[in-house]
Amino acid sequence: MRDNELIITFPATLSDLELYISKMPKTVRKFHDSAMKQLRKIVKKNELIHAFEESNTKTTKTGIFVVSDSKIILFINKGGLLGKVENEVYNLKDLVAVDYDIMPNPIGQVWTNSGSIELKIKKTLGQKKVVIKNIDEEKVLLLKTKLEELIN
């Protein structure tokens, strides 16, 4: 991940992520700060973060896709004056399959990334399919490979 000439290498700790976020521009940082507050409650202090990617965690909502040692966390930006952030947490042990896709853009280059990750997650009855879109094409295969490593 590269932003404001700050580079973060993965796996990273929560402290590394906090430093990275503190270097972001103020308008971007507000959402990330809210997500970090929730992430500190979800992830244990000694747990490592393997991915922290801005993406479309819902079809029309932007957010952050986070992979830790034991969980997948999707932060969804609900917007508004208060910058509300919702999250969905899935245990890696419930992850059944991971796939990825790079969708060609017929219009040419636009302001979105064309990579997506598809997760199949075991539920009490059946499976749930979760698709995370707008992931950088160069990172999507790396994310898929890392997720497969963590579940095997």
Side-chain angles (χ1 to χ4, degrees), residues 93-132:
K93 65 180 178 157
D94 294 335
L95 189 59
V96 176
V98 182
D99 205 356
Y100 79 104
D101 196 10
I102 298 175
M103 297 165 269
N105 188 346
I107 306 169
Q109 190 167 0
V110 294
W111 294 104
T112 60
N113 295 307
S114 59
S116 68
I117 297 264
E118 181 180 304
L119 309 172
K120 288 187 181 167
I121 299 167
K122 181 174 48 176
K123 301 278 289 180
T124 307
L125 299 171
Q127 295 178 353
K128 178 179 182 175
K129 184 170 100 172
V130 177
V131 179
I132 300 111

mmCIF file of all heavy atoms in Angstrom, residues 93-132:
data_model
loop_
_atom_site.group_PDB
_atom_site.id
_atom_site.type_symbol
_atom_site.label_atom_id
_atom_site.label_comp_id
_atom_site.label_asym_id
_atom_site.label_seq_id
_atom_site.Cartn_x
_atom_site.Cartn_y
_atom_site.Cartn_z
ATOM 1 N N LYS A 93 -11.849 -19.370 9.514
ATOM 2 C CA LYS A 93 -12.164 -20.810 9.557
ATOM 3 C C LYS A 93 -13.479 -21.120 8.847
ATOM 4 O O LYS A 93 -13.714 -22.254 8.450
ATOM 5 C CB LYS A 93 -12.186 -21.319 10.993
ATOM 6 C CG LYS A 93 -13.273 -20.717 11.839
ATOM 7 C CD LYS A 93 -13.266 -21.246 13.244
ATOM 8 C CE LYS A 93 -14.362 -20.516 13.978
ATOM 9 N NZ LYS A 93 -14.884 -21.106 15.093
ATOM 10 N N ASP A 94 -14.342 -20.110 8.646
ATOM 11 C CA ASP A 94 -15.604 -20.302 7.934
ATOM 12 C C ASP A 94 -15.478 -20.060 6.433
ATOM 13 O O ASP A 94 -16.439 -20.254 5.695
ATOM 14 C CB ASP A 94 -16.685 -19.374 8.502
ATOM 15 C CG ASP A 94 -17.049 -19.717 9.939
ATOM 16 O OD1 ASP A 94 -16.851 -20.887 10.332
ATOM 17 O OD2 ASP A 94 -17.504 -18.816 10.659
ATOM 18 N N LEU A 95 -14.313 -19.645 5.989
ATOM 19 C CA LEU A 95 -14.091 -19.369 4.571
ATOM 20 C C LEU A 95 -13.925 -20.692 3.829
ATOM 21 O O LEU A 95 -13.044 -21.487 4.139
ATOM 22 C CB LEU A 95 -12.853 -18.491 4.398
ATOM 23 C CG LEU A 95 -12.574 -17.927 3.018
ATOM 24 C CD1 LEU A 95 -13.727 -17.063 2.536
ATOM 25 C CD2 LEU A 95 -11.301 -17.110 3.038
ATOM 26 N N VAL A 96 -14.808 -20.948 2.868
ATOM 27 C CA VAL A 96 -14.809 -22.205 2.129
ATOM 28 C C VAL A 96 -13.975 -22.094 0.853
ATOM 29 O O VAL A 96 -13.209 -22.985 0.526
ATOM 30 C CB VAL A 96 -16.264 -22.615 1.775
ATOM 31 C CG1 VAL A 96 -16.291 -23.866 0.931
ATOM 32 C CG2 VAL A 96 -17.084 -22.781 3.036
ATOM 33 N N ALA A 97 -14.138 -20.981 0.121
ATOM 34 C CA ALA A 97 -13.439 -20.815 -1.153
ATOM 35 C C ALA A 97 -13.178 -19.340 -1.424
ATOM 36 O O ALA A 97 -13.903 -18.465 -0.953
ATOM 37 C CB ALA A 97 -14.260 -21.413 -2.286
ATOM 38 N N VAL A 98 -12.109 -19.110 -2.204
ATOM 39 C CA VAL A 98 -11.740 -17.752 -2.607
ATOM 40 C C VAL A 98 -11.515 -17.769 -4.112
ATOM 41 O O VAL A 98 -10.879 -18.670 -4.638
ATOM 42 C CB VAL A 98 -10.421 -17.297 -1.937
ATOM 43 C CG1 VAL A 98 -10.076 -15.876 -2.336
ATOM 44 C CG2 VAL A 98 -10.492 -17.435 -0.442
ATOM 45 N N ASP A 99 -12.037 -16.772 -4.789
ATOM 46 C CA ASP A 99 -11.782 -16.642 -6.222
ATOM 47 C C ASP A 99 -11.590 -15.166 -6.524
ATOM 48 O O ASP A 99 -11.906 -14.308 -5.704
ATOM 49 C CB ASP A 99 -12.945 -17.209 -7.030
ATOM 50 C CG ASP A 99 -12.516 -17.653 -8.426
ATOM 51 O OD1 ASP A 99 -11.335 -17.443 -8.796
ATOM 52 O OD2 ASP A 99 -13.355 -18.205 -9.147
ATOM 53 N N TYR A 100 -11.055 -14.874 -7.693
ATOM 54 C CA TYR A 100 -10.849 -13.487 -8.067
ATOM 55 C C TYR A 100 -11.193 -13.289 -9.532
ATOM 56 O O TYR A 100 -11.319 -14.236 -10.305
ATOM 57 C CB TYR A 100 -9.402 -13.058 -7.805
ATOM 58 C CG TYR A 100 -8.415 -13.502 -8.865
ATOM 59 C CD1 TYR A 100 -7.925 -12.608 -9.803
ATOM 60 C CD2 TYR A 100 -7.975 -14.811 -8.919
ATOM 61 C CE1 TYR A 100 -7.025 -13.016 -10.765
ATOM 62 C CE2 TYR A 100 -7.072 -15.228 -9.874
ATOM 63 C CZ TYR A 100 -6.599 -14.324 -10.801
ATOM 64 O OH TYR A 100 -5.713 -14.730 -11.760
ATOM 65 N N ASP A 101 -11.356 -12.040 -9.919
ATOM 66 C CA ASP A 101 -11.638 -11.710 -11.302
ATOM 67 C C ASP A 101 -11.083 -10.320 -11.587
ATOM 68 O O ASP A 101 -11.001 -9.473 -10.692
ATOM 69 C CB ASP A 101 -13.144 -11.742 -11.559
ATOM 70 C CG ASP A 101 -13.489 -11.786 -13.045
ATOM 71 O OD1 ASP A 101 -12.566 -11.979 -13.875
ATOM 72 O OD2 ASP A 101 -14.670 -11.635 -13.379
ATOM 73 N N ILE A 102 -10.672 -10.128 -12.823
ATOM 74 C CA ILE A 102 -10.300 -8.805 -13.305
ATOM 75 C C ILE A 102 -11.217 -8.521 -14.479
ATOM 76 O O ILE A 102 -11.140 -9.194 -15.507
ATOM 77 C CB ILE A 102 -8.816 -8.740 -13.712
ATOM 78 C CG1 ILE A 102 -7.947 -9.020 -12.494
ATOM 79 C CG2 ILE A 102 -8.498 -7.381 -14.336
ATOM 80 C CD1 ILE A 102 -6.466 -9.095 -12.776
ATOM 81 N N MET A 103 -12.107 -7.572 -14.279
ATOM 82 C CA MET A 103 -13.125 -7.287 -15.279
ATOM 83 C C MET A 103 -12.605 -6.272 -16.293
ATOM 84 O O MET A 103 -12.168 -5.187 -15.907
ATOM 85 C CB MET A 103 -14.381 -6.738 -14.602
ATOM 86 C CG MET A 103 -15.018 -7.732 -13.664
ATOM 87 S SD MET A 103 -16.188 -6.973 -12.569
ATOM 88 C CE MET A 103 -15.121 -6.583 -11.196
ATOM 89 N N PRO A 104 -12.632 -6.622 -17.580
ATOM 90 C CA PRO A 104 -12.182 -5.660 -18.585
ATOM 91 C C PRO A 104 -13.139 -4.472 -18.657
ATOM 92 O O PRO A 104 -14.343 -4.627 -18.481
ATOM 93 C CB PRO A 104 -12.193 -6.464 -19.886
ATOM 94 C CG PRO A 104 -13.109 -7.606 -19.626
ATOM 95 C CD PRO A 104 -13.082 -7.865 -18.149
ATOM 96 N N ASN A 105 -12.583 -3.313 -18.900
ATOM 97 C CA ASN A 105 -13.394 -2.114 -18.981
ATOM 98 C C ASN A 105 -13.547 -1.737 -20.452
ATOM 99 O O ASN A 105 -12.572 -1.349 -21.096
ATOM 100 C CB ASN A 105 -12.732 -0.981 -18.197
ATOM 101 C CG ASN A 105 -13.626 0.223 -18.086
ATOM 102 O OD1 ASN A 105 -14.619 0.328 -18.788
ATOM 103 N ND2 ASN A 105 -13.267 1.131 -17.209
ATOM 104 N N PRO A 106 -14.754 -1.807 -21.002
ATOM 105 C CA PRO A 106 -14.946 -1.519 -22.426
ATOM 106 C C PRO A 106 -14.750 -0.042 -22.784
ATOM 107 O O PRO A 106 -14.507 0.292 -23.933
ATOM 108 C CB PRO A 106 -16.391 -1.946 -22.684
ATOM 109 C CG PRO A 106 -17.055 -1.856 -21.360
ATOM 110 C CD PRO A 106 -15.989 -2.167 -20.338
ATOM 111 N N ILE A 107 -14.824 0.833 -21.808
ATOM 112 C CA ILE A 107 -14.718 2.275 -22.059
ATOM 113 C C ILE A 107 -13.270 2.741 -22.044
ATOM 114 O O ILE A 107 -12.938 3.785 -22.540
ATOM 115 C CB ILE A 107 -15.530 3.062 -21.005
ATOM 116 C CG1 ILE A 107 -16.959 2.553 -20.973
ATOM 117 C CG2 ILE A 107 -15.516 4.550 -21.300
ATOM 118 C CD1 ILE A 107 -17.758 3.072 -19.817
ATOM 119 N N GLY A 108 -12.403 1.976 -21.475
ATOM 120 C CA GLY A 108 -11.014 2.402 -21.302
ATOM 121 C C GLY A 108 -10.755 2.648 -19.832
ATOM 122 O O GLY A 108 -11.541 2.286 -18.972
ATOM 123 N N GLN A 109 -9.645 3.287 -19.562
ATOM 124 C CA GLN A 109 -9.278 3.514 -18.170
ATOM 125 C C GLN A 109 -10.206 4.528 -17.521
ATOM 126 O O GLN A 109 -10.484 5.581 -18.073
ATOM 127 C CB GLN A 109 -7.843 4.001 -18.077
ATOM 128 C CG GLN A 109 -7.337 4.031 -16.668
ATOM 129 C CD GLN A 109 -5.834 4.213 -16.618
ATOM 130 O OE1 GLN A 109 -5.191 4.312 -17.631
ATOM 131 N NE2 GLN A 109 -5.301 4.267 -15.428
ATOM 132 N N VAL A 110 -10.692 4.176 -16.343
ATOM 133 C CA VAL A 110 -11.545 5.072 -15.555
ATOM 134 C C VAL A 110 -10.971 5.185 -14.155
ATOM 135 O O VAL A 110 -9.910 4.651 -13.870
ATOM 136 C CB VAL A 110 -13.014 4.572 -15.513
ATOM 137 C CG1 VAL A 110 -13.646 4.638 -16.880
ATOM 138 C CG2 VAL A 110 -13.103 3.180 -14.967
ATOM 139 N N TRP A 111 -11.688 5.817 -13.257
ATOM 140 C CA TRP A 111 -11.179 6.083 -11.912
ATOM 141 C C TRP A 111 -11.375 4.926 -10.946
ATOM 142 O O TRP A 111 -11.168 5.072 -9.763
ATOM 143 C CB TRP A 111 -11.843 7.339 -11.345
ATOM 144 C CG TRP A 111 -11.443 8.549 -12.101
ATOM 145 C CD1 TRP A 111 -12.192 9.230 -13.010
ATOM 146 C CD2 TRP A 111 -10.190 9.219 -12.055
ATOM 147 N NE1 TRP A 111 -11.488 10.265 -13.529
ATOM 148 C CE2 TRP A 111 -10.249 10.296 -12.955
ATOM 149 C CE3 TRP A 111 -9.015 9.013 -11.341
ATOM 150 C CZ2 TRP A 111 -9.183 11.151 -13.154
ATOM 151 C CZ3 TRP A 111 -7.961 9.879 -11.550
ATOM 152 C CH2 TRP A 111 -8.054 10.930 -12.433
ATOM 153 N N THR A 112 -11.804 3.777 -11.430
ATOM 154 C CA THR A 112 -11.984 2.634 -10.542
ATOM 155 C C THR A 112 -11.036 1.510 -10.935
ATOM 156 O O THR A 112 -10.556 1.454 -12.056
ATOM 157 C CB THR A 112 -13.429 2.101 -10.595
ATOM 158 O OG1 THR A 112 -13.728 1.698 -11.934
ATOM 159 C CG2 THR A 112 -14.412 3.146 -10.135
ATOM 160 N N ASN A 113 -10.785 0.627 -10.011
ATOM 161 C CA ASN A 113 -9.973 -0.557 -10.275
ATOM 162 C C ASN A 113 -10.900 -1.685 -10.688
ATOM 163 O O ASN A 113 -12.049 -1.735 -10.270
ATOM 164 C CB ASN A 113 -9.196 -0.947 -9.017
ATOM 165 C CG ASN A 113 -8.192 0.120 -8.638
ATOM 166 O OD1 ASN A 113 -7.384 0.529 -9.445
ATOM 167 N ND2 ASN A 113 -8.279 0.585 -7.405
ATOM 168 N N SER A 114 -10.405 -2.603 -11.486
ATOM 169 C CA SER A 114 -11.284 -3.630 -12.041
ATOM 170 C C SER A 114 -11.121 -5.002 -11.385
ATOM 171 O O SER A 114 -11.679 -5.973 -11.847
ATOM 172 C CB SER A 114 -11.066 -3.748 -13.552
ATOM 173 O OG SER A 114 -9.725 -4.070 -13.825
ATOM 174 N N GLY A 115 -10.379 -5.085 -10.295
ATOM 175 C CA GLY A 115 -10.208 -6.367 -9.614
ATOM 176 C C GLY A 115 -11.314 -6.621 -8.611
ATOM 177 O O GLY A 115 -11.864 -5.689 -8.017
ATOM 178 N N SER A 116 -11.653 -7.894 -8.444
ATOM 179 C CA SER A 116 -12.646 -8.262 -7.428
ATOM 180 C C SER A 116 -12.268 -9.604 -6.807
ATOM 181 O O SER A 116 -11.633 -10.442 -7.441
ATOM 182 C CB SER A 116 -14.056 -8.329 -8.013
ATOM 183 O OG SER A 116 -14.173 -9.399 -8.912
ATOM 184 N N ILE A 117 -12.663 -9.778 -5.561
ATOM 185 C CA ILE A 117 -12.442 -11.021 -4.816
ATOM 186 C C ILE A 117 -13.818 -11.564 -4.439
ATOM 187 O O ILE A 117 -14.669 -10.809 -3.960
ATOM 188 C CB ILE A 117 -11.635 -10.762 -3.518
ATOM 189 C CG1 ILE A 117 -10.261 -10.225 -3.818
ATOM 190 C CG2 ILE A 117 -11.603 -11.990 -2.632
ATOM 191 C CD1 ILE A 117 -9.160 -11.231 -3.851
ATOM 192 N N GLU A 118 -14.019 -12.853 -4.653
ATOM 193 C CA GLU A 118 -15.270 -13.499 -4.270
ATOM 194 C C GLU A 118 -14.980 -14.498 -3.151
ATOM 195 O O GLU A 118 -14.123 -15.364 -3.293
ATOM 196 C CB GLU A 118 -15.879 -14.219 -5.460
ATOM 197 C CG GLU A 118 -17.196 -14.884 -5.149
ATOM 198 C CD GLU A 118 -17.786 -15.606 -6.344
ATOM 199 O OE1 GLU A 118 -17.975 -14.961 -7.387
ATOM 200 O OE2 GLU A 118 -18.038 -16.817 -6.217
ATOM 201 N N LEU A 119 -15.676 -14.327 -2.050
ATOM 202 C CA LEU A 119 -15.516 -15.207 -0.896
ATOM 203 C C LEU A 119 -16.773 -16.057 -0.727
ATOM 204 O O LEU A 119 -17.881 -15.535 -0.826
ATOM 205 C CB LEU A 119 -15.309 -14.390 0.379
ATOM 206 C CG LEU A 119 -14.226 -13.321 0.356
ATOM 207 C CD1 LEU A 119 -14.296 -12.491 1.629
ATOM 208 C CD2 LEU A 119 -12.868 -13.949 0.173
ATOM 209 N N LYS A 120 -16.592 -17.342 -0.482
ATOM 210 C CA LYS A 120 -17.717 -18.208 -0.126
ATOM 211 C C LYS A 120 -17.524 -18.572 1.332
ATOM 212 O O LYS A 120 -16.517 -19.166 1.714
ATOM 213 C CB LYS A 120 -17.753 -19.446 -0.999
ATOM 214 C CG LYS A 120 -18.181 -19.126 -2.413
ATOM 215 C CD LYS A 120 -18.393 -20.349 -3.236
ATOM 216 C CE LYS A 120 -18.801 -19.921 -4.643
ATOM 217 N NZ LYS A 120 -18.727 -21.029 -5.577
ATOM 218 N N ILE A 121 -18.505 -18.164 2.141
ATOM 219 C CA ILE A 121 -18.392 -18.303 3.588
ATOM 220 C C ILE A 121 -19.471 -19.253 4.096
ATOM 221 O O ILE A 121 -20.646 -19.124 3.739
ATOM 222 C CB ILE A 121 -18.505 -16.922 4.259
ATOM 223 C CG1 ILE A 121 -17.351 -16.050 3.760
ATOM 224 C CG2 ILE A 121 -18.495 -17.049 5.769
ATOM 225 C CD1 ILE A 121 -17.470 -14.606 4.062
ATOM 226 N N LYS A 122 -19.047 -20.202 4.931
ATOM 227 C CA LYS A 122 -19.954 -21.195 5.507
ATOM 228 C C LYS A 122 -20.885 -20.509 6.505
ATOM 229 O O LYS A 122 -20.444 -19.767 7.374
ATOM 230 C CB LYS A 122 -19.125 -22.283 6.182
ATOM 231 C CG LYS A 122 -19.923 -23.396 6.809
ATOM 232 C CD LYS A 122 -19.058 -24.519 7.329
ATOM 233 C CE LYS A 122 -17.908 -24.012 8.164
ATOM 234 N NZ LYS A 122 -17.081 -25.042 8.763
ATOM 235 N N LYS A 123 -22.173 -20.768 6.337
ATOM 236 C CA LYS A 123 -23.185 -20.270 7.265
ATOM 237 C C LYS A 123 -23.826 -21.477 7.947
ATOM 238 O O LYS A 123 -23.526 -22.617 7.615
ATOM 239 C CB LYS A 123 -24.257 -19.477 6.506
ATOM 240 C CG LYS A 123 -23.752 -18.279 5.713
ATOM 241 C CD LYS A 123 -23.560 -17.067 6.528
ATOM 242 C CE LYS A 123 -24.886 -16.510 6.939
ATOM 243 N NZ LYS A 123 -24.833 -15.339 7.738
ATOM 244 N N THR A 124 -24.718 -21.234 8.878
ATOM 245 C CA THR A 124 -25.405 -22.324 9.559
ATOM 246 C C THR A 124 -26.148 -23.198 8.546
ATOM 247 O O THR A 124 -26.073 -24.415 8.594
ATOM 248 C CB THR A 124 -26.397 -21.775 10.603
ATOM 249 O OG1 THR A 124 -25.697 -20.876 11.452
ATOM 250 C CG2 THR A 124 -26.994 -22.891 11.427
ATOM 251 N N LEU A 125 -26.844 -22.557 7.635
ATOM 252 C CA LEU A 125 -27.545 -23.260 6.561
ATOM 253 C C LEU A 125 -26.982 -22.794 5.220
ATOM 254 O O LEU A 125 -27.307 -21.711 4.741
ATOM 255 C CB LEU A 125 -29.049 -22.978 6.605
ATOM 256 C CG LEU A 125 -29.778 -23.420 7.869
ATOM 257 C CD1 LEU A 125 -31.196 -22.901 7.882
ATOM 258 C CD2 LEU A 125 -29.760 -24.933 7.981
ATOM 259 N N GLY A 126 -26.106 -23.563 4.640
ATOM 260 C CA GLY A 126 -25.574 -23.225 3.328
ATOM 261 C C GLY A 126 -24.365 -22.316 3.372
ATOM 262 O O GLY A 126 -23.581 -22.334 4.327
ATOM 263 N N GLN A 127 -24.219 -21.514 2.302
ATOM 264 C CA GLN A 127 -23.078 -20.618 2.157
ATOM 265 C C GLN A 127 -23.541 -19.222 1.778
ATOM 266 O O GLN A 127 -24.608 -19.047 1.205
ATOM 267 C CB GLN A 127 -22.135 -21.128 1.065
ATOM 268 C CG GLN A 127 -21.485 -22.441 1.365
ATOM 269 C CD GLN A 127 -20.598 -22.909 0.221
ATOM 270 O OE1 GLN A 127 -20.560 -22.314 -0.846
ATOM 271 N NE2 GLN A 127 -19.869 -23.986 0.458
ATOM 272 N N LYS A 128 -22.701 -18.263 2.089
ATOM 273 C CA LYS A 128 -22.947 -16.876 1.717
ATOM 274 C C LYS A 128 -21.837 -16.452 0.765
ATOM 275 O O LYS A 128 -20.665 -16.749 0.999
ATOM 276 C CB LYS A 128 -22.930 -15.985 2.958
ATOM 277 C CG LYS A 128 -23.119 -14.517 2.656
ATOM 278 C CD LYS A 128 -23.119 -13.693 3.930
ATOM 279 C CE LYS A 128 -23.352 -12.227 3.600
ATOM 280 N NZ LYS A 128 -23.467 -11.405 4.789
ATOM 281 N N LYS A 129 -22.208 -15.774 -0.304
ATOM 282 C CA LYS A 129 -21.220 -15.273 -1.248
ATOM 283 C C LYS A 129 -21.021 -13.775 -0.997
ATOM 284 O O LYS A 129 -21.987 -13.017 -0.939
ATOM 285 C CB LYS A 129 -21.694 -15.506 -2.687
ATOM 286 C CG LYS A 129 -20.676 -15.090 -3.729
ATOM 287 C CD LYS A 129 -21.096 -15.562 -5.107
ATOM 288 C CE LYS A 129 -21.724 -14.434 -5.849
ATOM 289 N NZ LYS A 129 -22.002 -14.724 -7.250
ATOM 290 N N VAL A 130 -19.773 -13.381 -0.798
ATOM 291 C CA VAL A 130 -19.433 -11.980 -0.565
ATOM 292 C C VAL A 130 -18.460 -11.559 -1.665
ATOM 293 O O VAL A 130 -17.439 -12.211 -1.869
ATOM 294 C CB VAL A 130 -18.763 -11.786 0.819
ATOM 295 C CG1 VAL A 130 -18.353 -10.342 1.025
ATOM 296 C CG2 VAL A 130 -19.688 -12.245 1.926
ATOM 297 N N VAL A 131 -18.794 -10.489 -2.387
ATOM 298 C CA VAL A 131 -17.936 -10.000 -3.461
ATOM 299 C C VAL A 131 -17.410 -8.621 -3.082
ATOM 300 O O VAL A 131 -18.183 -7.718 -2.783
ATOM 301 C CB VAL A 131 -18.693 -9.946 -4.808
ATOM 302 C CG1 VAL A 131 -17.794 -9.408 -5.911
ATOM 303 C CG2 VAL A 131 -19.229 -11.319 -5.182
ATOM 304 N N ILE A 132 -16.110 -8.483 -3.096
ATOM 305 C CA ILE A 132 -15.459 -7.208 -2.811
ATOM 306 C C ILE A 132 -14.887 -6.705 -4.124
ATOM 307 O O ILE A 132 -14.064 -7.389 -4.740
ATOM 308 C CB ILE A 132 -14.352 -7.363 -1.749
ATOM 309 C CG1 ILE A 132 -14.951 -7.896 -0.445
ATOM 310 C CG2 ILE A 132 -13.672 -6.042 -1.482
ATOM 311 C CD1 ILE A 132 -14.531 -9.259 -0.121
#
